[in-house]
């Protein structure tokens, strides 16, 4: 069974540009979560989808970040315009049911904003 | 891959020794705790979890201890192996939003 996959694995962009990160959850997993780790600090929650609906987006830092999950399958996280402080690793996780237990994480996208 | 080890507390142990990684959590209302392992270039991987109605839980070579009085969590790894080298994160949860609060991580280095 394929795990959670994220694209790209690395992205280097200039300040002010737009970047779109993609996450493909494990097949059949209705719940999808985005987390990020910036400046080598702790991993922080961004948001939680149940199918195509945003269940909790309390961790989204500002309106430069837009997450979508059209059709309830894969999800995208767009940063527009990117700022230097957005650099970090963006992780996606999924679970079959809404749970705080045993999330399956992807390998992450390393975003560098120059 | 990600420089997961930059600026992190580091624990260096000899192969075969036991490792103890500590974590202090902040929310006294947290009732569920997890330890994750993150190897370079990979995402966090579940190791073991514990609920607040327990103070100890054992897995294969790993044990988690929970002290709610001082809000402290620890991960013990027995007979540490080179493959255990990674960054270890504790995480807590206190509500129904399924949002995990992660600690800042500890890097474990295993010396051969």
């Amino acid at each position: 069974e394929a795990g959670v996959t994220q694209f790209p694995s690395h992205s280097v962009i200039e300040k002010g540009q737009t970047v779109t990160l993609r996450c493909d959850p494990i097949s059949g997993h209705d719940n999808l979560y985005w987390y990020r780790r910036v400046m080598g600090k702790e991993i922080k929650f961004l948001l939680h989808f149940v199918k195509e609906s945003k269940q909790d987006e309390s961790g989204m830092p500002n309106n430069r970040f837009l997450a979508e999950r059209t059709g309830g399958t894969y999800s995208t996280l767009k940063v527009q315009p990117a700022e230097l402080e957005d650099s970090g690793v963006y992780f996606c996780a999924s679970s079959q049911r809404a749970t705080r237990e045993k999330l399956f994480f992807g390998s992450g996208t390393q975003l560098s904003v120059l | 891959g990600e420089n997961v080890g930059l600026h992190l507390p580091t624990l260096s142990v000899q192969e075969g020794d036991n490792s103890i990684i500590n974590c202090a959590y902040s929310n006294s209302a947290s009732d569920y705790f997890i330890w994750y392992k993150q190897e370079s270039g990979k995402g966090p991987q579940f190791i073991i979890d514990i609920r607040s109605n327990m103070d100890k839980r054992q897995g294969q070579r790993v044990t988690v201890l929970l002290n709610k009085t001082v809000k402290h969590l620890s991960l013990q790894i027995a007979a540490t192996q080179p493959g255990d080298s990674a960054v270890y994160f504790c995480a807590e949860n206190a509500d129904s939003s399924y949002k995990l609060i992660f600690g800042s991580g500890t890097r474990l280095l295993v010396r051969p």
Side-chain angles (χ1 to χ4, degrees):
Chain A
E1 178 184 89
V4 176
T5 53
Q6 293 186 244
F7 309 97
S9 57
H10 293 80
S11 180
V12 181
I13 62 172
E14 292 187 352
K15 175 182 173 181
Q17 289 185 322
T18 298
V19 63
T20 300
L21 314 180
R22 172 170 168 149
C23 169
D24 285 69
I26 294 172
S27 178
H29 281 195
D30 287 341
N31 293 269
L32 187 149
Y33 314 80
W34 283 98
Y35 284 80
R36 73 170 182 174
R37 183 166 184 248
V38 297
M39 302 299 290
K41 295 183 179 177
E42 64 272 19
I43 300 169
K44 288 193 172 181
F45 170 85
L46 294 178
L47 85 160
H48 169 207
F49 281 101
V50 178
K51 296 185 180 180
E52 68 274 11
S53 299
K54 293 175 185 174
Q55 184 77 10
D56 179 354
E57 52 183 331
S58 62
M60 294 290 267
N62 51 61
N63 59 9
R64 294 187 293 104
F65 289 75
L66 175 63
E68 295 180 317
R69 194 183 180 197
T70 306
T73 54
Y74 70 91
S75 174
T76 58
L77 179 64
K78 183 164 69 174
V79 186
Q80 180 183 28
E83 298 290 344
L84 299 179
E85 62 265 26
D86 300 332
S87 296
V89 183
Y90 290 76
F91 293 106
C92 176
S94 73
S95 62
Q96 188 168 27
R97 57 183 176 86
T99 180
R100 55 188 183 176
E101 303 180 16
K102 300 178 184 178
L103 298 185
F104 295 90
F105 280 84
S107 297
T109 294
Q110 172 94 56
L111 175 63
S112 297
V113 183
L114 307 179
Chain B
E2 178 192 10
N3 289 318
V4 297
L6 283 180
H7 310 303
L8 284 176
T10 299
L11 174 66
S12 180
V13 300
Q14 190 73 38
E15 181 179 356
D17 286 353
N18 297 334
S19 302
I20 300 176
I21 300 172
N22 297 305
C23 175
Y25 64 93
S26 56
N27 188 352
S28 56
S30 292
D31 62 351
Y32 179 67
F33 305 87
I34 315 170
W35 279 100
Y36 283 92
K37 172 186 180 184
Q38 188 190 359
E39 296 173 277
S40 184
K42 297 183 180 180
Q45 179 184 9
F46 172 90
I47 302 173
I48 191 168
D49 58 359
I50 188 168
R51 299 183 186 279
S52 60
N53 61 353
M54 303 172 68
D55 53 22
K56 180 179 180 179
R57 189 166 188 218
Q58 289 184 297
Q60 185 176 14
R61 281 202 308 118
V62 294
T63 300
V64 56
L65 298 177
L66 175 63
N67 185 330
K68 295 181 288 294
T69 302
V70 295
K71 292 189 287 188
H72 183 267
L73 192 68
S74 69
L75 177 70
Q76 300 178 0
I77 304 174
T80 313
Q81 302 170 359
D84 295 328
S85 293
V87 176
Y88 289 80
F89 293 95
C90 64
E92 60 182 297
N93 175 270
D95 55 36
S96 61
S97 71
Y98 314 109
K99 177 169 49 180
L100 298 177
I101 309 299
F102 283 83
S104 55
T106 297
R107 184 182 187 197
L108 176 65
L109 291 175
V110 182
R111 305 187 304 271

